[in-house]
Amino acid sequence: MEGRWTRLALRAWAALILLFLFTPIVLIFVYAFNTSNIQSWPIPGFTLKWFTSTWDDPDIRRALSLSLQVGLGATVLALVLGSCAAFAIHRMTWFGREFVSLMFVLPLALPGIVTGIALNAAFSFGGISLSTLTIVVGHTTFCIVVVYNNVLARLRRTQGSLVEAAMDLGANGFQVFRDITLPLISTAVVAGAMLAFALSFDEVIVTTFTAGAQNTLPLWIFGAIRLGQRLPEVNVVVSFVILVTIVPVILAARLTGGGGAARVPAAR
Amino acid sequence: MTSGSPRGPRSRDDASIAIQAAGRPRSKKGGAAGLQAFFWRLPWLRPLLLLTPPLAWFVVVYFASLVVLLITAFWTTNPFTTQVVQYWNTDNFLRIVNEPTYHTIVGRTVFMAAAVTVTDAVLAFPFAYFMARVASRRVQTLLFAAVLLPLWASYLARVYAWILIFNHSGVLNWSLQLIGLPPANIGYTNIAMWIVFSYIWLPFMIIPTYAALERVPESLIEAAADLGARRWRTVRDVVLPLALPGVAAGSIFTFSLTLGDYITPILVGGAGSSLIGNVVYDNVGIANNIPFAAAMAMIPVGIMAIYLLVAQRLGAFEAL
């Protein structure tokens, strides 16, 4: 129904929006190779020296190691809890299922600062000192929904007749799970896990309130940008974090046929 | 009841007996079959066992924390030791109500969240419309991926990119100079904050809007055309009302995320850019007054509760 000029205008608008979305991201990667330690445009030349200085920095290494630990811990916990919830809700027909779904989305739908300060107040109330474990607890809480949504969506699309056929052929519950259910949902589980990891690896708001004196990689970046220090290294670290957060999304999209990463638009 | 009716009312019991019979000799060797029969007889037990750990996690970790947050808001701190004193009072809330500084901050936050939401809706709608109704299948998939990538790409990285762009000798001023315009120094202002927020949350608006536009049936548009509606009339009276739940769903994210943010105001905002999130952040970190921070955090919760009610009226939850 659109006329030729309308189509042309819409096409131009789409191109401008894409330019708006991607220019800043591309720029970050260019700045990572900046020869000067002054962040001005255009950059005077290309170098790899900041990559080595970043890799050799003990603070950054410690932050990276903590981020990886937290990411893995939160992913494993979210994987177990989210899958359990998805299996339970998939089998249920009772009125509470909408409520349960809403509950899992809540940490992402409410402003992150509310989750952060609530956990902080609770830890301080319970006399629990902030540590790696408290960061993992915080991250798990908002990562569960990613796994839950992915696994539940896949369970809804798989046919119950396959499970019934296996049972008719004499498979017991464990065999059905191992040979039928698990292969059918495995890619959704992996996709959910990768997205949960990406979510955790980049999180800064809840982390601020649960980390205490430790720095995760995003906390290190935040501190450095805020003070305007070590910006050449910031460029490198930030490029790296973009890659770590984007690659799982591309893989997850391939595993789930595009839907996986879109299922959590509330991801941040 | 004759034995020839397999779907008769007794067939369940028959099957149960058959399973018990079959299970009995096996259950002597291993517990697996017996356990299976046990679960089969109590069909509600397995979902319940599966749901207990995640449910317990949410109740113990999340809801308990929210309750503690609410309670803490009614406590106070000892001004000398900064220890939390469990003395019930409403001083924190009175302080928010009575001090004009906080009125300004709450007003600024809500205004900023609204401005960002409107900006994103205006930017996203034509783009989503192009994706859903003009682009070919292949382009549609590519555009979808192109929106998802910035959505997931590191939040801090994207804020930082704008610091580089707004920088005095950054890309913005370089581009302005190129086309012969004077430099614009909008870094560290509310305008910078507005641009960065709009940039960061834009994908959250595009995706639900696109999803809603995709679902508008072609037949309705044809019907409108058959009834003599011109192109813009069809968009205004058919497409726009049907896309509204999608826009409302997107606005939940753009509004809520702006409401609770404190990173962007710190990094790209200036002296007069504090939002509610900054007050909370400063009171946890520097002032170490958790009860006051908790009271302040109740404001976005309250605003979001009202916002979600309105969004639900607009059908946003079906479009999520």
Side-chain angles (χ1 to χ4, degrees):
Chain A
M1 80 175 191
E2 290 78 18
R4 203 159 62 92
W5 290 108
T6 319
R7 279 165 176 271
L8 214 62
L10 284 171
R11 199 175 296 269
W13 186 265
L16 283 176
I17 295 286
L18 283 183
L19 197 70
F20 178 56
L21 284 176
F22 281 94
T23 307
I25 295 174
V26 172
L27 215 59
I28 291 267
F29 285 107
V30 176
Y31 268 108
F33 299 95
N34 189 1
T35 40
S36 165
N37 57 0
I38 297 159
Q39 312 303 319
S40 61
W41 188 262
I43 62 169
F46 289 87
T47 176
L48 288 171
K49 67 178 173 189
W50 305 118
F51 286 82
T52 35
S53 76
T54 305
W55 181 246
D56 292 337
D57 188 300
D59 287 344
I60 298 174
R61 279 201 185 193
R62 220 173 297 130
L64 172 66
S65 147
L66 181 63
S67 277
L68 290 174
Q69 284 172 34
V70 169
L72 287 176
T75 303
V76 169
L77 276 170
L79 203 58
V80 173
L81 295 170
S83 305
C84 279
F87 271 100
I89 291 298
H90 176 58
R91 285 158 185 272
M92 278 185 196
T93 46
W94 60 295
F95 66 98
R97 55 189 293 168
E98 258 86 58
F99 172 77
V100 173
S101 293
L102 183 72
M103 183 186 79
F104 287 138
V105 188
L106 215 55
L108 290 180
L110 278 181
I113 198 158
V114 175
T115 310
I117 175 87
L119 288 171
N120 185 287
F123 290 140
S124 123
F125 175 73
I128 302 164
S129 54
L130 301 178
S131 64
T132 309
L133 203 65
T134 53
I135 313 178
V136 172
V137 168
H139 283 202
T140 305
T141 307
F142 60 74
C143 282
I144 289 176
V145 67
V146 192
V147 178
Y148 169 77
N149 277 349
N150 268 284
V151 175
L152 187 62
R154 177 63 61 86
L155 283 173
R156 287 202 174 131
R157 269 188 289 143
T158 52
Q159 286 160 347
S161 56
L162 287 171
V163 170
E164 283 163 19
M167 284 166 117
D168 285 349
L169 291 169
N172 65 33
F174 175 71
Q175 283 173 320
V176 170
F177 181 77
R178 191 193 57 194
D179 296 339
I180 309 293
T181 314
L182 205 57
L184 282 173
I185 63 157
S186 59
T187 52
V189 173
V190 173
M194 286 192 302
L195 293 174
F197 184 82
L199 202 56
S200 160
F201 197 75
D202 180 46
E203 215 285 335
V204 59
I205 292 187
V206 176
T207 317
T208 308
F209 291 98
T210 50
Q214 298 190 86
N215 265 351
T216 61
L217 214 47
L219 286 183
W220 181 87
I221 298 169
F222 179 52
I225 301 175
R226 200 179 173 185
L227 299 172
Q229 289 173 346
R230 329 260 340 251
L231 292 183
E233 282 86 3
V234 169
N235 292 334
V236 174
V237 174
V238 149
S239 307
F240 170 72
V241 176
I242 291 183
L243 286 181
V244 172
T245 48
I246 278 184
V247 169
V249 180
I250 297 170
L251 292 176
R254 292 198 157 221
L255 288 174
T256 59
R263 205 153 287 126
V264 195
R268 292 288 128 94
Chain B
M1 189 58 52
T2 58
S3 59
S5 69
R7 292 194 175 273
R10 277 185 58 209
S11 65
R12 193 187 146 107
D13 301 62
D14 290 343
S16 149
I17 290 163
I19 289 220
Q20 276 175 353
R24 212 165 283 139
R26 257 182 290 165
S27 61
K28 274 177 197 162
K29 287 177 214 151
L35 197 66
Q36 206 184 336
F38 181 67
F39 275 125
W40 193 88
R41 255 176 276 134
L42 300 168
W44 47 266
L45 190 64
R46 206 197 303 242
L48 192 74
L49 282 180
L50 283 169
L51 197 57
T52 304
L55 213 59
W57 180 280
F58 259 77
V59 171
V60 172
V61 174
Y62 192 57
F63 290 115
S65 298
L66 287 176
V67 171
V68 171
L69 179 70
L70 185 66
I71 294 171
T72 309
F74 291 96
W75 286 345
T76 185
T77 51
N78 182 324
F80 299 107
T81 61
T82 70
Q83 289 287 316
V84 175
V85 181
Q86 301 184 358
Y87 155 71
W88 290 85
N89 66 87
T90 51
D91 289 0
N92 296 321
F93 292 99
L94 287 177
R95 188 173 148 201
I96 295 168
V97 172
N98 289 332
E99 275 187 41
T101 322
Y102 297 119
H103 300 183
T104 316
I105 289 174
V106 172
R108 182 190 294 135
T109 309
V110 173
F111 180 77
M112 183 58 75
V116 168
T117 301
V118 171
T119 310
D120 277 343
V122 170
L123 290 177
F125 194 85
F127 185 82
Y129 190 91
F130 175 77
M131 269 177 89
R133 310 211 61 88
V134 178
S136 68
R137 216 45 187 145
R138 208 174 63 87
V139 175
Q140 210 172 9
T141 317
L142 282 174
L143 286 178
F144 195 72
V147 175
L148 274 185
L149 283 189
L151 173 89
W152 280 88
S154 168
Y155 161 88
L156 268 177
R158 286 179 297 147
V159 178
Y160 174 63
W162 283 95
I163 299 178
L164 296 177
I165 292 172
F166 291 143
N167 191 331
H168 186 68
S169 50
V171 173
L172 177 69
N173 283 344
W174 178 80
S175 314
L176 287 174
Q177 200 190 2
L178 216 61
I179 52 175
L181 288 174
N185 287 316
I186 55 171
Y188 310 108
T189 61
N190 286 341
I191 296 185
M193 199 158 77
W194 166 65
I195 294 174
V196 172
F197 273 136
S198 303
Y199 169 75
I200 290 194
W201 311 138
L202 181 59
F204 290 92
M205 184 61 96
I206 293 177
I207 288 168
T209 307
Y210 159 73
L213 282 169
E214 254 254 283
R215 282 196 295 262
V216 175
E218 198 62 44
S219 57
L220 282 184
I221 291 165
E222 283 164 14
D226 287 349
L227 292 168
R230 306 273 293 269
R231 217 186 294 143
W232 290 110
R233 180 90 200 276
T234 311
V235 170
R236 200 189 65 201
D237 290 347
V238 179
V239 179
L240 213 55
L242 288 171
L244 196 64
V247 178
S251 80
I252 293 175
F253 300 123
T254 56
F255 198 84
S256 164
L257 291 167
T258 311
L259 215 54
D261 202 303
Y262 63 89
I263 306 273
T264 300
I266 289 177
L267 293 184
V268 300
S273 297
S274 278
L275 301 186
I276 295 173
N278 297 89
V279 178
V280 176
Y281 176 70
D282 291 344
N283 273 289
V284 171
I286 303 158
N288 200 11
N289 187 344
I290 293 176
F292 185 70
M296 204 68 195
M298 287 298 143
I299 297 174
V301 175
I303 296 173
M304 272 325 285
I306 299 168
Y307 197 89
L308 288 174
L309 274 177
V310 175
Q312 196 224 357
R313 282 278 171 87
L314 294 172
F317 290 166
E318 284 78 40
L320 273 176

